[in-house]
Amino acid sequence: MENLECTVGKDGLNFQCNLCDSDVVHSMAEILLRGLATASVDSTTGDIFKSPSSVAIGMKSELAEYLIQRSMTLVREAVDGGEDHSEQLIKASTMPTEFLSDLIDGFVASKRNLLSHVSGFLSSETRLNKIKDFIQKLEMENFWAPDVREATAGTILKSIDMKCIIHCPERFDTQDKLAEHRNLCRFRIVNCKNDGCLASFSANHIEKHDSVCPFKVLPCEQLCEQHVMRCEMDRHCASVCPMKLINCPFYQVGCESAFPQCVLDKHCSERLQIHLMYILELTTRHDAFVNDMNQRLHLLEKAQSLNELSGALDNRTLTLTAKEQEAKIKKLEQDLKVQETKLKKLESEFKSGKV
């Protein structure tokens, strides 16, 4: 994207800027890699003689050529007054990544083999995992280098951006004028000026990046006198900021005031007597509570003693009752033996004829 391009123009302006929005080009380059992986996987699904890697080289060239030719044909037909592609052209200029995805979807669909068309396979987890794994393989092997993909994406972008929203169409009659322009072009690559930030982007995104840059130094959100990096703001406000709201140290005893951390000493000094009253009231309530608990404890101990005494009395009564019953049982046993003896005596006398 940074090469100076020389083209022959009827107006003598032979040097064209052609710088593009770097963020859009980068996004389109990522879509190209995913499109290549998807087409390679879908065209070899279930084929024991081919793998995605074996077709990737030819697929890459075919994909790039298809996309460039398809985008140029679309523009040429629109300019020549042929088919109505107004909706597509609007999408191409305003949403180039979505437009590119649509083109790639058409290319991938034409490459799917029979098994890839099986119902449910296109949305299956297995297929998506294969595509993801192959993308990682392509990246690790630097199969389609990022700068080459971005060059391809840039070529497509320049052909479809008829309204010049995402690339610079400026032309100049000398190389020096072109170089001077590129130092000011809104699509030139710039680095973030915030200390610690390594981000680079097109100049037209300076304000957008500055609004979210984590290294941007900002005034404290709680209006203390300090300036803090955006990425440290939450921690600052929640911990060390002198304007952080805190509760009074005597909150638990009755003072429910909340105030900035920096006025803690002033608050405690101004409300010294009130805080002492809170403590006195708490002490009084505590003493009354202790006395009440002592009384309750005494009652519990007394009740426990009575229960133990009652239990002892009950045990004694049961013992006496048991002994009385045992005595009665023994007497009955003795009476029974006497009766048995008498019965045996009578039986003996009856047998001897005395009766």
Side-chain angles (χ1 to χ4, degrees), residues 33-233:
L33 187 62
R34 181 171 184 83
L36 172 61
T38 303
S40 299
V41 169
D42 284 359
S43 66
T44 58
T45 296
D47 192 333
I48 61 175
F49 300 105
K50 293 181 180 180
S51 67
S53 297
S54 67
V55 302
I57 295 177
M59 194 70 72
K60 178 182 69 173
S61 300
E62 191 175 351
L63 173 61
E65 182 178 354
Y66 170 86
L67 294 174
I68 292 174
Q69 289 298 326
R70 185 71 186 88
S71 58
M72 288 183 173
T73 299
L74 178 68
V75 173
R76 184 171 58 252
E77 289 178 351
V79 173
D80 293 343
E83 297 183 28
D84 183 10
H85 297 298
S86 56
E87 291 186 5
Q88 287 181 290
L89 290 175
I90 291 174
K91 188 174 186 178
S93 292
T94 58
M95 296 181 291
T97 53
E98 287 81 355
F99 174 79
L100 180 61
S101 294
D102 291 344
L103 291 184
I104 290 178
D105 287 344
F107 176 81
V108 170
S110 69
K111 297 301 177 183
R112 290 178 183 137
N113 63 17
L114 180 61
L115 184 57
S116 294
H117 284 284
V118 174
S119 177
F121 180 77
L122 294 179
S123 59
S124 70
E125 185 176 352
T126 300
R127 171 179 177 267
L128 296 177
N129 287 336
K130 286 183 178 180
I131 294 173
K132 181 180 179 181
D133 291 342
F134 193 50
I135 290 175
Q136 293 178 347
K137 178 180 174 64
L138 294 176
E139 290 177 332
M140 290 178 60
E141 296 178 355
N142 199 27
F143 178 82
W144 197 355
D147 57 336
V148 178
R149 279 187 285 125
E150 290 187 0
T152 302
T155 300
I156 297 172
L157 181 61
K158 294 166 192 173
S159 66
I160 62 177
D161 185 27
M162 297 182 64
K163 295 185 178 181
C164 301
I165 298 174
I166 313 169
H167 86 290
C168 179
E170 295 293 333
R171 304 171 68 95
F172 302 89
D173 57 359
T174 67
Q175 184 171 314
D176 289 341
K177 289 182 179 180
L178 173 60
E180 182 181 352
H181 161 77
R182 284 194 165 183
N183 289 329
L184 301 173
C185 180
R186 65 193 179 102
F187 294 111
R188 71 188 186 281
I189 299 299
V190 297
N191 298 319
C192 179
K193 296 182 179 180
N194 296 322
D195 289 341
C197 184
L198 302 178
S200 59
F201 38 82
S202 294
N204 62 316
H205 290 304
I206 290 178
E207 292 184 2
K208 177 183 177 181
H209 172 79
D210 197 59
S211 66
V212 297
C213 178
F215 296 92
K216 173 76 172 180
V217 177
L218 302 168
C220 172
E221 293 177 353
Q222 295 178 156
L223 305 181
C224 79
E225 297 180 353
Q226 299 182 36
H227 285 67
V228 186
M229 286 193 299
R230 182 179 277 114
C231 61
E232 294 290 332
M233 186 66 71

Side-chain angles (χ1 to χ4, degrees), residues 317-346:
T317 301
L318 289 173
T319 301
L320 292 174
T321 302
K323 288 182 178 181
E324 290 177 356
Q325 294 300 323
E326 289 177 358
K328 290 180 179 180
I329 291 172
K330 286 181 179 181
K331 186 177 184 303
L332 289 173
E333 289 176 348
Q334 291 174 356
D335 292 342
L336 181 60
K337 288 180 179 180
V338 170
Q339 294 299 325
E340 288 178 351
T341 302
K342 289 181 178 181
L343 180 60
K344 288 179 179 180
K345 183 180 180 181
L346 289 172

